Amino acid sequence: MSDEPLPAGVERRTIGGRERLATRGEPVYGEPTDGEWRAWDPSRSKLGAMIDLGMDVGLEGGERTLYLGAAAGTTVGHVADFAGPTYAVEFAPRPMRELLGVAADRDRLFPLLKDARRPETYAHVVESDLDLLVQDVATRGQAAVAVRNARFLGDDGRLLLAIKARSEDVTADPEAVFSDVRSRLSDAYRILEDRRLEPHHDDHLGIVATPR
Ligand SMILES: C[S@@+](CC[C@H](N)C(=O)[O-])C[C@H]1O[C@@H](n2cnc3c(N)ncnc32)[C@H](O)[C@@H]1O
């Protein structure tokens, strides 16, 4: 838990007898609720973990957002509760079906069944000059995906990136993987902060960066 300011629309509230991160919206994954507020579980969300651990994510609320690796909408549902228009890219049809249900309750969430390695296939739909790019694809080549999608961010935009070490190389030392990712990202980004996401997620690195 930390004193970093939270984006408008994200609060620490007592739900179910303890203080938790929360956003206002329809429940998505059986999370505890209190009135309109629903708990944001950092152990099920890399972005939730980054915020809970006090990383300076630089969000204010209302950001125009591209989210890569949306899965069934656990995290992007929270993002769409506090952000502006939120484009959610996912390439697997099965989680996409659930994501469509999450979007049905959120008029700012736009699911796209697309491959994040091929941004040219959604560049005609997604706005440019975005405020925020969130990425959690957990597949090999995570840095390359972030670099390819930098084109959507405005000069002052933010990248909030989760890197899963085992997705790059199950046998490698996670610190060696993270060091390689930092170096590859430097083609397109300046890293502002990074930290490991334990105890919420083992062998993951959270990165806050801005375009070069
Ligand atoms: C760790 S899960 C994401 C969890 C999600 N971010 C959350 O917190 O709710 C990774 C997701 O990224 C998707 N994914 C992986 N590579 C992708 C790609 N190239 N394009 C689009 N989606 C991809 C996977 O299908 C999977 O659903």
Side-chain angles (χ1 to χ4, degrees), residues 93-110:
R94 189 178 295 187
M96 174 54 74
R97 281 202 287 276
E98 290 176 58
L99 181 61
L100 290 172
V102 177
D105 292 326
R106 289 171 174 80
D107 55 12
R108 296 191 298 271
L109 180 56
F110 307 107

Side-chain angles (χ1 to χ4, degrees), residues 35 39 98 145 148 183 192 195-196:
E98 290 176 58
V145 170
R148 280 187 206 159
S183 141
L192 303 175
R195 69 162 288 172
R196 290 182 64 141

Side-chain angles (χ1 to χ4, degrees), residues 44-46 67 69-71 73-75 89-92 95 114-117 136-139:
R44 297 190 56 170
S45 168
K46 270 69 104 192
Y67 191 109
T74 301
T75 299
V89 172
E90 171 57 54
F91 73 175
K114 297 286 183 189
D115 185 338
R117 291 167 298 190
D136 177 23
V137 292
T139 46

